[in-house]
Structure formats: structure tokens, C-alpha cells
Amino acid sequence: MTLIPVHRGHRERLYRLLLGFTLLLLASFALPPQFYWLGPACYSVISILVTRLLAKKGSRHIWRERLYQMLGWVALISLWFWILTPVQWHYTGIPLIWSWIVLVGWSVIRLVKQLSSERQVSAMVLMGAAAGYLLLGITAGLVMNALYTVEPNGFELMHLTSQSITSNHHNLLDSHERFAQINYFAFVCLTTVGFGGIKPILPAARMVSVATSIVGPLYLTLMMGVLISRFSSNSNSNSNSNSNSKNF
């Protein structure tokens, strides 16, 4: 059985929504604490959009597609379980860490394949490429935040000690400042800027930071290769069609 792709217009709307919600999520980190609920809400919508956008209808591997969509729901449930439990429950972040790493890693691979199959570089392709890059950054921020609850001394934050966090906040919806700082650090790692304001201290935090610094340039390299190859093929096809019309 051949793969039946999602309708182009529907896919373009999903790309727009995915890019819009990732940008809204980034903007929520700069808002006052009373708007912190926007962050978890955007993460929830993004997990659903990703599985809808990149699911392959009509695939002969039905079990794989069901597993992929089930993984999206597991990531969503683990997110809210982690958010609503007390900060002192350190190990509630472990399901979130692994479910989001697997979901987004699998999704980015599918996204690169899907964008590479497009015939031309369009606004939809550019939106999808940008959304994929931002998705890596916000996922790295979420994983680092969950890791910080598992190992409270994993990162040395700016003007914010781990003791004040674990003692003054009942759950993660009350720790807006820390959540924003670690997401900021995730994008510093992703873009390999390296400002140095936040430092990973423990081995797990260091490995996640290094992995994020590797994944960011790797994704850009893959996307640049896809966009350049599509643009080159479009230019060649246009030049061939022009020469054929002149000869005719």
C-alpha cells in the first residue's frame, strides 16, 4: 500500500499553526507571571499539531503510525502530570523527558523527509523548516526544566538558587522565572551562542546541553541542504523550460 500524503492545503494550515504556537510559546516567556499558563497550553497544542501534521495516512505500517500518535498523547499526559505535581516530587519529570525526546526526535526526522519531498521551495516549506527549528529549542527547554526538577542542582541559574525554588513553590505553575531562564539557556545552546549566564553543573545537565548544541547546527545543515537542492532543481527546470520554448 502506498503512502497517502496529507492534503496540501490542510498541511499548509498545520504548518502555520505549528509555527504560530511555537512563536506564541516563546513570547509567553517574556510575559508577566500571571500569563504563565500560556506556556503549558502551547506545549499541549504543539504536541497534538505535530502528530497530526506528520502522521502518514494509508501507511502499510499501521502499528507504527498508531505508536507515533500514542506517543503524542503520552507526551501530553506526562507534561501535565509533571506540571501539576509538587516540585518536591522529583521523579515526575522522568516520563516527560523521555517521551518528549522520542516524540520530537521522531517528528523532526519525519519533518525533514516531508520537506525534502516537496517539489519547490514555497512559503509552506519555509514555515515548516522554521517551526522545526523552534520545536527543537522549546523541547530542549522543556527537557532541561524537567531535568532541573529531577536534579535541582543540575544548573546554576542567574540570581536564582535551587533552594529558593524548591521551598517557595508548590508546583511548576508557580515557577515562571525559572522556567523562562532555562528555556533561554536552551536556545543559547541550540544556537551555539554561549553567553555563559547559566551553567550546567551535573553530568546529566551537561550532556543535555551538549546534545542541544549538536542538534541545532545539524538541523540547520540538513535544512539548508534540502532548501538548496529544491531551489537548484527549480532553477534548472525553469531554465530548461525556457530554452525549450525558445527552440520551439
Side-chain angles (χ1 to χ4, degrees):
M1 185 184 297
T2 57
L3 297 180
I4 302 176
V6 181
H7 187 268
R8 184 180 179 86
H10 180 61
R11 192 165 68 241
E12 187 171 354
R13 286 193 295 273
L14 290 177
Y15 277 132
R16 273 204 208 99
L17 287 173
L18 182 60
L19 180 59
F21 275 101
T22 52
L23 291 173
L24 179 60
L25 177 58
L26 290 178
S28 70
F29 300 144
L31 296 177
Q34 55 265 33
F35 294 101
Y36 173 70
W37 58 270
L38 274 175
C42 288
Y43 273 115
S44 303
V45 174
I46 287 169
S47 66
I48 297 172
L49 283 175
V50 165
T51 52
R52 285 183 58 84
L53 175 63
L54 301 174
K56 298 176 182 178
K57 296 183 178 179
S59 173
R60 56 185 176 182
H61 301 292
I62 299 176
W63 62 270
R64 186 182 299 173
E65 299 309 312
R66 288 180 178 175
L67 179 62
Y68 178 67
Q69 296 198 3
M70 187 183 301
L71 183 60
W73 286 107
V74 170
L76 177 60
I77 294 170
S78 65
L79 168 68
W80 283 99
F81 179 68
W82 172 70
I83 287 173
L84 296 177
T85 51
V87 177
Q88 290 79 7
W89 295 15
H90 298 296
Y91 296 106
T92 58
I94 293 178
L96 181 146
I97 291 172
W98 288 109
S99 61
W100 277 83
I101 287 176
V102 176
L103 173 65
V104 174
W106 196 352
S107 299
V108 168
I109 292 173
R110 288 184 170 218
L111 178 64
V112 172
K113 290 181 178 180
Q114 185 165 292
L115 293 178
S116 63
S117 65
E118 297 292 339
R119 295 183 179 180
Q120 59 182 0
V121 179
S122 60
M124 181 186 71
V125 173
L126 296 177
M127 284 189 294
Y133 189 66
L134 295 177
L135 180 63
L136 287 173
I138 61 176
T139 302
L142 185 62
V143 169
M144 288 180 184
N145 270 286
L147 183 61
Y148 192 79
T149 60
V150 176
E151 296 181 338
N153 296 314
F155 296 92
E156 181 182 337
L157 303 183
M158 299 179 293
H159 313 297
L160 198 62
T161 62
S162 59
Q163 289 79 9
S164 63
I165 295 169
T166 55
S167 59
N168 295 335
H169 298 95
H170 297 290
N171 59 48
L172 293 166
L173 287 173
D174 300 324
S175 52
H176 176 267
E177 184 181 357
R178 188 218 58 182
F179 198 80
Q181 282 194 24
I182 293 183
N183 273 279
Y184 155 78
F185 175 70
F187 275 91
V188 168
C189 292
L190 185 74
T191 56
T192 65
V193 175
F195 287 131
I198 298 174
K199 298 177 183 178
I201 304 298
L202 297 181
R206 290 178 177 176
M207 290 308 299
V208 171
S209 303
V210 169
T212 305
S213 301
I214 294 172
V215 167
L218 180 61
Y219 177 83
L220 290 178
T221 302
L222 291 173
M223 277 295 102
M224 287 299 294
V226 169
L227 295 177
I228 290 173
S229 64
R230 290 296 136 214
F231 186 76
S232 299
S233 62
N234 292 340
S235 299
N236 293 332
S237 61
N238 290 334
S239 61
N240 290 333
S241 61
N242 291 334
S243 61
N244 291 334
S245 61
K246 290 179 180 179
N247 292 332
F248 181 77

